[in-house]
Amino acid sequence: MEDKVLDPVAFEKFLHDRIKVNGKAGNLGTKVTISRDKSKLNVAAELPFSKRYLKYLTKKFLKKQQLRDFLHVVATSPSTYELKYFQITNDNDEEA
C-alpha cells in the first residue's frame, strides 16, 4: 500500500461494511475491530474469525477496484496476509 496503488481508507471502509458478525454485515460492534497504521490494516476479533474469510473479502475488493490482475494475497505467517505484485516476465526476447 506504500506505492499508492491501493487506497487503505477505502479498503478499511470496505472491510467495515462487508465483515459479517452474527450473520449481519456492517455490524462489527465490539467483537471485531479494524485499525490502520500507515500501510497496515489490523483486524482483531474476539469471536472465531476465519482467516480465509478475510482473504475472500480482500480478493473481492481487488476485483472491485480492478487490481486483481496486478496484486495477489499471500499468507506470510499463520495470522498475516500481504498483498504482493504478480511477477511479470517479458517474453519479447523470444520473438527475435
PDB file of all heavy atoms in Angstrom, residues 53-91:
ATOM      1  N   TYR A  53     -11.850 -16.038   5.305  1.00  0.00           N
ATOM      2  CA  TYR A  53     -12.905 -15.059   5.051  1.00  0.00           C
ATOM      3  C   TYR A  53     -12.297 -13.691   4.764  1.00  0.00           C
ATOM      4  O   TYR A  53     -12.749 -12.971   3.876  1.00  0.00           O
ATOM      5  CB  TYR A  53     -13.856 -14.998   6.249  1.00  0.00           C
ATOM      6  CG  TYR A  53     -14.982 -14.017   6.111  1.00  0.00           C
ATOM      7  CD1 TYR A  53     -15.865 -14.090   5.044  1.00  0.00           C
ATOM      8  CD2 TYR A  53     -15.176 -13.013   7.052  1.00  0.00           C
ATOM      9  CE1 TYR A  53     -16.906 -13.191   4.920  1.00  0.00           C
ATOM     10  CE2 TYR A  53     -16.217 -12.117   6.937  1.00  0.00           C
ATOM     11  CZ  TYR A  53     -17.075 -12.210   5.869  1.00  0.00           C
ATOM     12  OH  TYR A  53     -18.105 -11.315   5.743  1.00  0.00           O
ATOM     13  N   LEU A  54     -11.250 -13.336   5.485  1.00  0.00           N
ATOM     14  CA  LEU A  54     -10.559 -12.070   5.247  1.00  0.00           C
ATOM     15  C   LEU A  54      -9.895 -12.074   3.872  1.00  0.00           C
ATOM     16  O   LEU A  54      -9.921 -11.071   3.150  1.00  0.00           O
ATOM     17  CB  LEU A  54      -9.532 -11.825   6.350  1.00  0.00           C
ATOM     18  CG  LEU A  54      -8.903 -10.446   6.395  1.00  0.00           C
ATOM     19  CD1 LEU A  54      -9.968  -9.371   6.560  1.00  0.00           C
ATOM     20  CD2 LEU A  54      -7.905 -10.371   7.519  1.00  0.00           C
ATOM     21  N   LYS A  55      -9.325 -13.208   3.480  1.00  0.00           N
ATOM     22  CA  LYS A  55      -8.719 -13.338   2.155  1.00  0.00           C
ATOM     23  C   LYS A  55      -9.789 -13.195   1.075  1.00  0.00           C
ATOM     24  O   LYS A  55      -9.577 -12.527   0.062  1.00  0.00           O
ATOM     25  CB  LYS A  55      -7.997 -14.679   2.025  1.00  0.00           C
ATOM     26  CG  LYS A  55      -7.271 -14.855   0.713  1.00  0.00           C
ATOM     27  CD  LYS A  55      -6.497 -16.159   0.681  1.00  0.00           C
ATOM     28  CE  LYS A  55      -5.716 -16.302  -0.609  1.00  0.00           C
ATOM     29  NZ  LYS A  55      -4.917 -17.529  -0.637  1.00  0.00           N
ATOM     30  N   TYR A  56     -10.938 -13.820   1.289  1.00  0.00           N
ATOM     31  CA  TYR A  56     -12.054 -13.723   0.347  1.00  0.00           C
ATOM     32  C   TYR A  56     -12.489 -12.267   0.159  1.00  0.00           C
ATOM     33  O   TYR A  56     -12.676 -11.797  -0.974  1.00  0.00           O
ATOM     34  CB  TYR A  56     -13.220 -14.581   0.855  1.00  0.00           C
ATOM     35  CG  TYR A  56     -14.533 -14.300   0.194  1.00  0.00           C
ATOM     36  CD1 TYR A  56     -14.807 -14.777  -1.082  1.00  0.00           C
ATOM     37  CD2 TYR A  56     -15.503 -13.545   0.844  1.00  0.00           C
ATOM     38  CE1 TYR A  56     -16.016 -14.503  -1.694  1.00  0.00           C
ATOM     39  CE2 TYR A  56     -16.714 -13.279   0.245  1.00  0.00           C
ATOM     40  CZ  TYR A  56     -16.971 -13.753  -1.026  1.00  0.00           C
ATOM     41  OH  TYR A  56     -18.166 -13.481  -1.623  1.00  0.00           O
ATOM     42  N   LEU A  57     -12.647 -11.539   1.251  1.00  0.00           N
ATOM     43  CA  LEU A  57     -13.061 -10.138   1.165  1.00  0.00           C
ATOM     44  C   LEU A  57     -11.992  -9.282   0.487  1.00  0.00           C
ATOM     45  O   LEU A  57     -12.314  -8.361  -0.269  1.00  0.00           O
ATOM     46  CB  LEU A  57     -13.374  -9.585   2.555  1.00  0.00           C
ATOM     47  CG  LEU A  57     -14.645 -10.114   3.206  1.00  0.00           C
ATOM     48  CD1 LEU A  57     -14.757  -9.590   4.629  1.00  0.00           C
ATOM     49  CD2 LEU A  57     -15.863  -9.735   2.399  1.00  0.00           C
ATOM     50  N   THR A  58     -10.717  -9.583   0.741  1.00  0.00           N
ATOM     51  CA  THR A  58      -9.631  -8.834   0.105  1.00  0.00           C
ATOM     52  C   THR A  58      -9.653  -9.053  -1.399  1.00  0.00           C
ATOM     53  O   THR A  58      -9.517  -8.107  -2.177  1.00  0.00           O
ATOM     54  CB  THR A  58      -8.273  -9.262   0.690  1.00  0.00           C
ATOM     55  OG1 THR A  58      -8.298  -9.069   2.105  1.00  0.00           O
ATOM     56  CG2 THR A  58      -7.148  -8.444   0.099  1.00  0.00           C
ATOM     57  N   LYS A  59      -9.831 -10.301  -1.831  1.00  0.00           N
ATOM     58  CA  LYS A  59      -9.904 -10.590  -3.262  1.00  0.00           C
ATOM     59  C   LYS A  59     -11.109  -9.895  -3.900  1.00  0.00           C
ATOM     60  O   LYS A  59     -11.028  -9.392  -5.020  1.00  0.00           O
ATOM     61  CB  LYS A  59     -10.007 -12.095  -3.497  1.00  0.00           C
ATOM     62  CG  LYS A  59      -8.724 -12.834  -3.293  1.00  0.00           C
ATOM     63  CD  LYS A  59      -8.952 -14.297  -3.581  1.00  0.00           C
ATOM     64  CE  LYS A  59      -7.679 -15.087  -3.601  1.00  0.00           C
ATOM     65  NZ  LYS A  59      -7.931 -16.495  -3.963  1.00  0.00           N
ATOM     66  N   LYS A  60     -12.210  -9.851  -3.182  1.00  0.00           N
ATOM     67  CA  LYS A  60     -13.409  -9.192  -3.678  1.00  0.00           C
ATOM     68  C   LYS A  60     -13.159  -7.688  -3.859  1.00  0.00           C
ATOM     69  O   LYS A  60     -13.595  -7.094  -4.849  1.00  0.00           O
ATOM     70  CB  LYS A  60     -14.558  -9.437  -2.697  1.00  0.00           C
ATOM     71  CG  LYS A  60     -15.906  -9.144  -3.241  1.00  0.00           C
ATOM     72  CD  LYS A  60     -16.961  -9.723  -2.334  1.00  0.00           C
ATOM     73  CE  LYS A  60     -18.306  -9.543  -2.976  1.00  0.00           C
ATOM     74  NZ  LYS A  60     -19.289 -10.481  -2.539  1.00  0.00           N
ATOM     75  N   PHE A  61     -12.448  -7.075  -2.919  1.00  0.00           N
ATOM     76  CA  PHE A  61     -12.115  -5.660  -3.026  1.00  0.00           C
ATOM     77  C   PHE A  61     -11.190  -5.404  -4.210  1.00  0.00           C
ATOM     78  O   PHE A  61     -11.381  -4.447  -4.959  1.00  0.00           O
ATOM     79  CB  PHE A  61     -11.460  -5.168  -1.725  1.00  0.00           C
ATOM     80  CG  PHE A  61     -11.049  -3.725  -1.774  1.00  0.00           C
ATOM     81  CD1 PHE A  61     -11.989  -2.728  -1.632  1.00  0.00           C
ATOM     82  CD2 PHE A  61      -9.730  -3.367  -1.958  1.00  0.00           C
ATOM     83  CE1 PHE A  61     -11.622  -1.389  -1.685  1.00  0.00           C
ATOM     84  CE2 PHE A  61      -9.345  -2.041  -2.003  1.00  0.00           C
ATOM     85  CZ  PHE A  61     -10.300  -1.049  -1.867  1.00  0.00           C
ATOM     86  N   LEU A  62     -10.175  -6.268  -4.390  1.00  0.00           N
ATOM     87  CA  LEU A  62      -9.249  -6.107  -5.510  1.00  0.00           C
ATOM     88  C   LEU A  62      -9.987  -6.218  -6.844  1.00  0.00           C
ATOM     89  O   LEU A  62      -9.692  -5.473  -7.780  1.00  0.00           O
ATOM     90  CB  LEU A  62      -8.130  -7.144  -5.435  1.00  0.00           C
ATOM     91  CG  LEU A  62      -7.129  -6.972  -4.297  1.00  0.00           C
ATOM     92  CD1 LEU A  62      -6.155  -8.137  -4.279  1.00  0.00           C
ATOM     93  CD2 LEU A  62      -6.389  -5.657  -4.410  1.00  0.00           C
ATOM     94  N   LYS A  63     -10.928  -7.135  -6.938  1.00  0.00           N
ATOM     95  CA  LYS A  63     -11.708  -7.301  -8.162  1.00  0.00           C
ATOM     96  C   LYS A  63     -12.554  -6.065  -8.431  1.00  0.00           C
ATOM     97  O   LYS A  63     -12.645  -5.591  -9.562  1.00  0.00           O
ATOM     98  CB  LYS A  63     -12.609  -8.543  -8.027  1.00  0.00           C
ATOM     99  CG  LYS A  63     -13.413  -8.852  -9.236  1.00  0.00           C
ATOM    100  CD  LYS A  63     -12.551  -9.414 -10.322  1.00  0.00           C
ATOM    101  CE  LYS A  63     -13.417  -9.920 -11.464  1.00  0.00           C
ATOM    102  NZ  LYS A  63     -12.621 -10.367 -12.579  1.00  0.00           N
ATOM    103  N   LYS A  64     -13.155  -5.513  -7.373  1.00  0.00           N
ATOM    104  CA  LYS A  64     -13.996  -4.324  -7.499  1.00  0.00           C
ATOM    105  C   LYS A  64     -13.173  -3.118  -7.969  1.00  0.00           C
ATOM    106  O   LYS A  64     -13.643  -2.308  -8.758  1.00  0.00           O
ATOM    107  CB  LYS A  64     -14.654  -4.023  -6.154  1.00  0.00           C
ATOM    108  CG  LYS A  64     -15.621  -2.881  -6.168  1.00  0.00           C
ATOM    109  CD  LYS A  64     -16.243  -2.694  -4.803  1.00  0.00           C
ATOM    110  CE  LYS A  64     -17.139  -1.485  -4.770  1.00  0.00           C
ATOM    111  NZ  LYS A  64     -17.644  -1.228  -3.431  1.00  0.00           N
ATOM    112  N   GLN A  65     -11.932  -3.022  -7.493  1.00  0.00           N
ATOM    113  CA  GLN A  65     -11.048  -1.915  -7.861  1.00  0.00           C
ATOM    114  C   GLN A  65     -10.262  -2.192  -9.139  1.00  0.00           C
ATOM    115  O   GLN A  65      -9.403  -1.408  -9.511  1.00  0.00           O
ATOM    116  CB  GLN A  65     -10.069  -1.628  -6.714  1.00  0.00           C
ATOM    117  CG  GLN A  65     -10.724  -1.238  -5.421  1.00  0.00           C
ATOM    118  CD  GLN A  65     -11.444   0.083  -5.526  1.00  0.00           C
ATOM    119  OE1 GLN A  65     -10.957   1.009  -6.148  1.00  0.00           O
ATOM    120  NE2 GLN A  65     -12.616   0.171  -4.929  1.00  0.00           N
ATOM    121  N   GLN A  66     -10.497  -3.329  -9.777  1.00  0.00           N
ATOM    122  CA  GLN A  66      -9.813  -3.773 -10.989  1.00  0.00           C
ATOM    123  C   GLN A  66      -8.305  -3.879 -10.790  1.00  0.00           C
ATOM    124  O   GLN A  66      -7.509  -3.526 -11.656  1.00  0.00           O
ATOM    125  CB  GLN A  66     -10.146  -2.853 -12.167  1.00  0.00           C
ATOM    126  CG  GLN A  66     -11.623  -2.856 -12.497  1.00  0.00           C
ATOM    127  CD  GLN A  66     -11.979  -1.893 -13.590  1.00  0.00           C
ATOM    128  OE1 GLN A  66     -11.186  -1.040 -13.956  1.00  0.00           O
ATOM    129  NE2 GLN A  66     -13.175  -2.017 -14.108  1.00  0.00           N
ATOM    130  N   LEU A  67      -7.910  -4.367  -9.623  1.00  0.00           N
ATOM    131  CA  LEU A  67      -6.496  -4.579  -9.298  1.00  0.00           C
ATOM    132  C   LEU A  67      -6.154  -6.054  -9.201  1.00  0.00           C
ATOM    133  O   LEU A  67      -5.019  -6.407  -8.914  1.00  0.00           O
ATOM    134  CB  LEU A  67      -6.157  -3.893  -7.969  1.00  0.00           C
ATOM    135  CG  LEU A  67      -6.272  -2.381  -7.948  1.00  0.00           C
ATOM    136  CD1 LEU A  67      -6.112  -1.866  -6.532  1.00  0.00           C
ATOM    137  CD2 LEU A  67      -5.245  -1.762  -8.867  1.00  0.00           C
ATOM    138  N   ARG A  68      -7.121  -6.918  -9.438  1.00  0.00           N
ATOM    139  CA  ARG A  68      -6.933  -8.363  -9.263  1.00  0.00           C
ATOM    140  C   ARG A  68      -5.894  -8.933 -10.226  1.00  0.00           C
ATOM    141  O   ARG A  68      -5.251  -9.930  -9.942  1.00  0.00           O
ATOM    142  CB  ARG A  68      -8.285  -9.059  -9.462  1.00  0.00           C
ATOM    143  CG  ARG A  68      -8.312 -10.517  -9.156  1.00  0.00           C
ATOM    144  CD  ARG A  68      -8.465 -10.741  -7.658  1.00  0.00           C
ATOM    145  NE  ARG A  68      -8.672 -12.152  -7.403  1.00  0.00           N
ATOM    146  CZ  ARG A  68      -7.681 -13.000  -7.139  1.00  0.00           C
ATOM    147  NH1 ARG A  68      -6.453 -12.578  -7.079  1.00  0.00           N
ATOM    148  NH2 ARG A  68      -7.931 -14.255  -6.921  1.00  0.00           N
ATOM    149  N   ASP A  69      -5.683  -8.289 -11.375  1.00  0.00           N
ATOM    150  CA  ASP A  69      -4.697  -8.762 -12.345  1.00  0.00           C
ATOM    151  C   ASP A  69      -3.273  -8.385 -11.956  1.00  0.00           C
ATOM    152  O   ASP A  69      -2.320  -8.907 -12.536  1.00  0.00           O
ATOM    153  CB  ASP A  69      -5.003  -8.195 -13.730  1.00  0.00           C
ATOM    154  CG  ASP A  69      -6.322  -8.691 -14.280  1.00  0.00           C
ATOM    155  OD1 ASP A  69      -6.744  -9.803 -13.885  1.00  0.00           O
ATOM    156  OD2 ASP A  69      -6.937  -7.984 -15.098  1.00  0.00           O
ATOM    157  N   PHE A  70      -3.103  -7.482 -11.005  1.00  0.00           N
ATOM    158  CA  PHE A  70      -1.778  -6.989 -10.649  1.00  0.00           C
ATOM    159  C   PHE A  70      -1.326  -7.409  -9.256  1.00  0.00           C
ATOM    160  O   PHE A  70      -0.135  -7.534  -9.001  1.00  0.00           O
ATOM    161  CB  PHE A  70      -1.751  -5.460 -10.731  1.00  0.00           C
ATOM    162  CG  PHE A  70      -2.240  -4.940 -12.042  1.00  0.00           C
ATOM    163  CD1 PHE A  70      -3.483  -4.329 -12.143  1.00  0.00           C
ATOM    164  CD2 PHE A  70      -1.490  -5.089 -13.191  1.00  0.00           C
ATOM    165  CE1 PHE A  70      -3.945  -3.860 -13.363  1.00  0.00           C
ATOM    166  CE2 PHE A  70      -1.946  -4.628 -14.412  1.00  0.00           C
ATOM    167  CZ  PHE A  70      -3.180  -4.013 -14.499  1.00  0.00           C
ATOM    168  N   LEU A  71      -2.270  -7.583  -8.335  1.00  0.00           N
ATOM    169  CA  LEU A  71      -1.954  -7.909  -6.946  1.00  0.00           C
ATOM    170  C   LEU A  71      -2.554  -9.252  -6.565  1.00  0.00           C
ATOM    171  O   LEU A  71      -3.601  -9.636  -7.084  1.00  0.00           O
ATOM    172  CB  LEU A  71      -2.509  -6.841  -6.002  1.00  0.00           C
ATOM    173  CG  LEU A  71      -1.954  -5.438  -6.142  1.00  0.00           C
ATOM    174  CD1 LEU A  71      -2.782  -4.470  -5.323  1.00  0.00           C
ATOM    175  CD2 LEU A  71      -0.512  -5.382  -5.699  1.00  0.00           C
ATOM    176  N   HIS A  72      -1.890  -9.968  -5.666  1.00  0.00           N
ATOM    177  CA  HIS A  72      -2.474 -11.175  -5.102  1.00  0.00           C
ATOM    178  C   HIS A  72      -2.206 -11.231  -3.609  1.00  0.00           C
ATOM    179  O   HIS A  72      -1.311 -10.571  -3.094  1.00  0.00           O
ATOM    180  CB  HIS A  72      -1.978 -12.445  -5.819  1.00  0.00           C
ATOM    181  CG  HIS A  72      -0.527 -12.718  -5.675  1.00  0.00           C
ATOM    182  ND1 HIS A  72       0.420 -12.182  -6.512  1.00  0.00           N
ATOM    183  CD2 HIS A  72       0.144 -13.494  -4.811  1.00  0.00           C
ATOM    184  CE1 HIS A  72       1.615 -12.607  -6.158  1.00  0.00           C
ATOM    185  NE2 HIS A  72       1.484 -13.403  -5.119  1.00  0.00           N
ATOM    186  N   VAL A  73      -3.007 -12.010  -2.923  1.00  0.00           N
ATOM    187  CA  VAL A  73      -2.957 -12.110  -1.468  1.00  0.00           C
ATOM    188  C   VAL A  73      -2.075 -13.302  -1.102  1.00  0.00           C
ATOM    189  O   VAL A  73      -2.299 -14.409  -1.574  1.00  0.00           O
ATOM    190  CB  VAL A  73      -4.370 -12.284  -0.887  1.00  0.00           C
ATOM    191  CG1 VAL A  73      -4.334 -12.275   0.625  1.00  0.00           C
ATOM    192  CG2 VAL A  73      -5.293 -11.198  -1.406  1.00  0.00           C
ATOM    193  N   VAL A  74      -1.072 -13.059  -0.244  1.00  0.00           N
ATOM    194  CA  VAL A  74      -0.128 -14.097   0.150  1.00  0.00           C
ATOM    195  C   VAL A  74      -0.084 -14.179   1.669  1.00  0.00           C
ATOM    196  O   VAL A  74       0.031 -13.151   2.353  1.00  0.00           O
ATOM    197  CB  VAL A  74       1.289 -13.775  -0.389  1.00  0.00           C
ATOM    198  CG1 VAL A  74       2.294 -14.807   0.055  1.00  0.00           C
ATOM    199  CG2 VAL A  74       1.274 -13.660  -1.896  1.00  0.00           C
ATOM    200  N   ALA A  75      -0.168 -15.390   2.199  1.00  0.00           N
ATOM    201  CA  ALA A  75      -0.052 -15.597   3.644  1.00  0.00           C
ATOM    202  C   ALA A  75       1.425 -15.612   4.007  1.00  0.00           C
ATOM    203  O   ALA A  75       2.190 -16.428   3.502  1.00  0.00           O
ATOM    204  CB  ALA A  75      -0.715 -16.896   4.043  1.00  0.00           C
ATOM    205  N   THR A  76       1.844 -14.703   4.870  1.00  0.00           N
ATOM    206  CA  THR A  76       3.251 -14.633   5.274  1.00  0.00           C
ATOM    207  C   THR A  76       3.488 -15.291   6.625  1.00  0.00           C
ATOM    208  O   THR A  76       4.620 -15.600   6.960  1.00  0.00           O
ATOM    209  CB  THR A  76       3.722 -13.176   5.333  1.00  0.00           C
ATOM    210  OG1 THR A  76       2.850 -12.438   6.189  1.00  0.00           O
ATOM    211  CG2 THR A  76       3.709 -12.563   3.940  1.00  0.00           C
ATOM    212  N   SER A  77       2.435 -15.477   7.403  1.00  0.00           N
ATOM    213  CA  SER A  77       2.511 -16.177   8.683  1.00  0.00           C
ATOM    214  C   SER A  77       1.116 -16.726   8.986  1.00  0.00           C
ATOM    215  O   SER A  77       0.171 -16.407   8.270  1.00  0.00           O
ATOM    216  CB  SER A  77       2.987 -15.226   9.792  1.00  0.00           C
ATOM    217  OG  SER A  77       1.965 -14.351  10.164  1.00  0.00           O
ATOM    218  N   PRO A  78       0.979 -17.526  10.025  1.00  0.00           N
ATOM    219  CA  PRO A  78      -0.346 -18.085  10.325  1.00  0.00           C
ATOM    220  C   PRO A  78      -1.443 -17.056  10.613  1.00  0.00           C
ATOM    221  O   PRO A  78      -2.616 -17.373  10.534  1.00  0.00           O
ATOM    222  CB  PRO A  78      -0.088 -18.952  11.553  1.00  0.00           C
ATOM    223  CG  PRO A  78       1.335 -19.322  11.461  1.00  0.00           C
ATOM    224  CD  PRO A  78       2.022 -18.139  10.843  1.00  0.00           C
ATOM    225  N   SER A  79      -1.062 -15.830  10.913  1.00  0.00           N
ATOM    226  CA  SER A  79      -2.081 -14.821  11.218  1.00  0.00           C
ATOM    227  C   SER A  79      -1.954 -13.559  10.364  1.00  0.00           C
ATOM    228  O   SER A  79      -2.548 -12.544  10.686  1.00  0.00           O
ATOM    229  CB  SER A  79      -1.997 -14.446  12.695  1.00  0.00           C
ATOM    230  OG  SER A  79      -0.754 -13.843  12.953  1.00  0.00           O
ATOM    231  N   THR A  80      -1.181 -13.621   9.260  1.00  0.00           N
ATOM    232  CA  THR A  80      -0.901 -12.419   8.482  1.00  0.00           C
ATOM    233  C   THR A  80      -1.061 -12.663   6.985  1.00  0.00           C
ATOM    234  O   THR A  80      -0.653 -13.700   6.483  1.00  0.00           O
ATOM    235  CB  THR A  80       0.546 -11.943   8.743  1.00  0.00           C
ATOM    236  OG1 THR A  80       0.741 -11.797  10.136  1.00  0.00           O
ATOM    237  CG2 THR A  80       0.824 -10.624   8.064  1.00  0.00           C
ATOM    238  N   TYR A  81      -1.630 -11.675   6.308  1.00  0.00           N
ATOM    239  CA  TYR A  81      -1.688 -11.655   4.849  1.00  0.00           C
ATOM    240  C   TYR A  81      -0.971 -10.423   4.340  1.00  0.00           C
ATOM    241  O   TYR A  81      -0.974  -9.387   5.006  1.00  0.00           O
ATOM    242  CB  TYR A  81      -3.132 -11.575   4.348  1.00  0.00           C
ATOM    243  CG  TYR A  81      -3.858 -12.879   4.276  1.00  0.00           C
ATOM    244  CD1 TYR A  81      -5.066 -13.049   4.921  1.00  0.00           C
ATOM    245  CD2 TYR A  81      -3.359 -13.943   3.536  1.00  0.00           C
ATOM    246  CE1 TYR A  81      -5.756 -14.235   4.851  1.00  0.00           C
ATOM    247  CE2 TYR A  81      -4.038 -15.140   3.466  1.00  0.00           C
ATOM    248  CZ  TYR A  81      -5.227 -15.274   4.116  1.00  0.00           C
ATOM    249  OH  TYR A  81      -5.905 -16.467   4.047  1.00  0.00           O
ATOM    250  N   GLU A  82      -0.374 -10.525   3.157  1.00  0.00           N
ATOM    251  CA  GLU A  82       0.217  -9.375   2.481  1.00  0.00           C
ATOM    252  C   GLU A  82      -0.268  -9.348   1.048  1.00  0.00           C
ATOM    253  O   GLU A  82      -0.581 -10.394   0.472  1.00  0.00           O
ATOM    254  CB  GLU A  82       1.754  -9.468   2.474  1.00  0.00           C
ATOM    255  CG  GLU A  82       2.398  -9.174   3.788  1.00  0.00           C
ATOM    256  CD  GLU A  82       3.920  -9.136   3.680  1.00  0.00           C
ATOM    257  OE1 GLU A  82       4.451  -9.256   2.568  1.00  0.00           O
ATOM    258  OE2 GLU A  82       4.551  -8.988   4.720  1.00  0.00           O
ATOM    259  N   LEU A  83      -0.315  -8.158   0.483  1.00  0.00           N
ATOM    260  CA  LEU A  83      -0.635  -8.005  -0.926  1.00  0.00           C
ATOM    261  C   LEU A  83       0.671  -7.834  -1.680  1.00  0.00           C
ATOM    262  O   LEU A  83       1.471  -6.969  -1.341  1.00  0.00           O
ATOM    263  CB  LEU A  83      -1.533  -6.793  -1.150  1.00  0.00           C
ATOM    264  CG  LEU A  83      -2.900  -6.853  -0.495  1.00  0.00           C
ATOM    265  CD1 LEU A  83      -3.653  -5.556  -0.718  1.00  0.00           C
ATOM    266  CD2 LEU A  83      -3.692  -8.008  -1.036  1.00  0.00           C
ATOM    267  N   LYS A  84       0.884  -8.658  -2.689  1.00  0.00           N
ATOM    268  CA  LYS A  84       2.115  -8.599  -3.472  1.00  0.00           C
ATOM    269  C   LYS A  84       1.777  -8.515  -4.948  1.00  0.00           C
ATOM    270  O   LYS A  84       0.732  -8.976  -5.388  1.00  0.00           O
ATOM    271  CB  LYS A  84       2.980  -9.833  -3.213  1.00  0.00           C
ATOM    272  CG  LYS A  84       3.459  -9.903  -1.781  1.00  0.00           C
ATOM    273  CD  LYS A  84       4.554 -10.893  -1.624  1.00  0.00           C
ATOM    274  CE  LYS A  84       5.041 -10.859  -0.180  1.00  0.00           C
ATOM    275  NZ  LYS A  84       6.234 -11.615   0.014  1.00  0.00           N
ATOM    276  N   TYR A  85       2.716  -7.939  -5.717  1.00  0.00           N
ATOM    277  CA  TYR A  85       2.546  -7.861  -7.157  1.00  0.00           C
ATOM    278  C   TYR A  85       2.833  -9.216  -7.789  1.00  0.00           C
ATOM    279  O   TYR A  85       3.678  -9.959  -7.319  1.00  0.00           O
ATOM    280  CB  TYR A  85       3.516  -6.833  -7.759  1.00  0.00           C
ATOM    281  CG  TYR A  85       3.124  -5.413  -7.466  1.00  0.00           C
ATOM    282  CD1 TYR A  85       3.785  -4.682  -6.482  1.00  0.00           C
ATOM    283  CD2 TYR A  85       2.117  -4.790  -8.180  1.00  0.00           C
ATOM    284  CE1 TYR A  85       3.430  -3.372  -6.217  1.00  0.00           C
ATOM    285  CE2 TYR A  85       1.762  -3.482  -7.921  1.00  0.00           C
ATOM    286  CZ  TYR A  85       2.421  -2.791  -6.946  1.00  0.00           C
ATOM    287  OH  TYR A  85       2.066  -1.509  -6.683  1.00  0.00           O
ATOM    288  N   PHE A  86       2.124  -9.507  -8.880  1.00  0.00           N
ATOM    289  CA  PHE A  86       2.459 -10.692  -9.663  1.00  0.00           C
ATOM    290  C   PHE A  86       3.806 -10.475 -10.331  1.00  0.00           C
ATOM    291  O   PHE A  86       4.142  -9.356 -10.713  1.00  0.00           O
ATOM    292  CB  PHE A  86       1.402 -10.949 -10.754  1.00  0.00           C
ATOM    293  CG  PHE A  86       0.159 -11.596 -10.241  1.00  0.00           C
ATOM    294  CD1 PHE A  86      -1.036 -10.900 -10.200  1.00  0.00           C
ATOM    295  CD2 PHE A  86       0.176 -12.903  -9.807  1.00  0.00           C
ATOM    296  CE1 PHE A  86      -2.186 -11.500  -9.740  1.00  0.00           C
ATOM    297  CE2 PHE A  86      -0.971 -13.519  -9.336  1.00  0.00           C
ATOM    298  CZ  PHE A  86      -2.154 -12.807  -9.302  1.00  0.00           C
ATOM    299  N   GLN A  87       4.582 -11.541 -10.485  1.00  0.00           N
ATOM    300  CA  GLN A  87       5.861 -11.475 -11.185  1.00  0.00           C
ATOM    301  C   GLN A  87       5.571 -11.540 -12.679  1.00  0.00           C
ATOM    302  O   GLN A  87       5.107 -12.555 -13.188  1.00  0.00           O
ATOM    303  CB  GLN A  87       6.763 -12.639 -10.759  1.00  0.00           C
ATOM    304  CG  GLN A  87       8.168 -12.555 -11.287  1.00  0.00           C
ATOM    305  CD  GLN A  87       8.946 -11.406 -10.670  1.00  0.00           C
ATOM    306  OE1 GLN A  87       8.675 -10.996  -9.549  1.00  0.00           O
ATOM    307  NE2 GLN A  87       9.902 -10.893 -11.395  1.00  0.00           N
ATOM    308  N   ILE A  88       5.842 -10.462 -13.391  1.00  0.00           N
ATOM    309  CA  ILE A  88       5.568 -10.408 -14.827  1.00  0.00           C
ATOM    310  C   ILE A  88       6.896 -10.507 -15.559  1.00  0.00           C
ATOM    311  O   ILE A  88       7.807  -9.714 -15.335  1.00  0.00           O
ATOM    312  CB  ILE A  88       4.843  -9.102 -15.203  1.00  0.00           C
ATOM    313  CG1 ILE A  88       3.518  -9.010 -14.450  1.00  0.00           C
ATOM    314  CG2 ILE A  88       4.639  -9.016 -16.702  1.00  0.00           C
ATOM    315  CD1 ILE A  88       2.807  -7.691 -14.600  1.00  0.00           C
ATOM    316  N   THR A  89       6.990 -11.494 -16.444  1.00  0.00           N
ATOM    317  CA  THR A  89       8.211 -11.657 -17.236  1.00  0.00           C
ATOM    318  C   THR A  89       7.977 -11.089 -18.624  1.00  0.00           C
ATOM    319  O   THR A  89       6.866 -11.117 -19.156  1.00  0.00           O
ATOM    320  CB  THR A  89       8.605 -13.137 -17.354  1.00  0.00           C
ATOM    321  OG1 THR A  89       7.521 -13.849 -17.946  1.00  0.00           O
ATOM    322  CG2 THR A  89       8.910 -13.715 -15.990  1.00  0.00           C
ATOM    323  N   ASN A  90       9.031 -10.606 -19.212  1.00  0.00           N
ATOM    324  CA  ASN A  90       8.962 -10.015 -20.531  1.00  0.00           C
ATOM    325  C   ASN A  90       9.380 -11.059 -21.556  1.00  0.00           C
ATOM    326  O   ASN A  90      10.519 -11.510 -21.564  1.00  0.00           O
ATOM    327  CB  ASN A  90       9.870  -8.781 -20.594  1.00  0.00           C
ATOM    328  CG  ASN A  90       9.589  -7.931 -21.807  1.00  0.00           C
ATOM    329  OD1 ASN A  90       8.804  -8.307 -22.667  1.00  0.00           O
ATOM    330  ND2 ASN A  90      10.229  -6.777 -21.859  1.00  0.00           N
ATOM    331  N   ASP A  91       8.476 -11.446 -22.463  1.00  0.00           N
ATOM    332  CA  ASP A  91       8.747 -12.502 -23.445  1.00  0.00           C
ATOM    333  C   ASP A  91       9.159 -11.933 -24.798  1.00  0.00           C
ATOM    334  O   ASP A  91       9.095 -12.622 -25.807  1.00  0.00           O
ATOM    335  CB  ASP A  91       7.512 -13.383 -23.630  1.00  0.00           C
ATOM    336  CG  ASP A  91       7.205 -14.184 -22.383  1.00  0.00           C
ATOM    337  OD1 ASP A  91       8.137 -14.407 -21.595  1.00  0.00           O
ATOM    338  OD2 ASP A  91       6.031 -14.576 -22.193  1.00  0.00           O
TER     339      ASP A  91
END
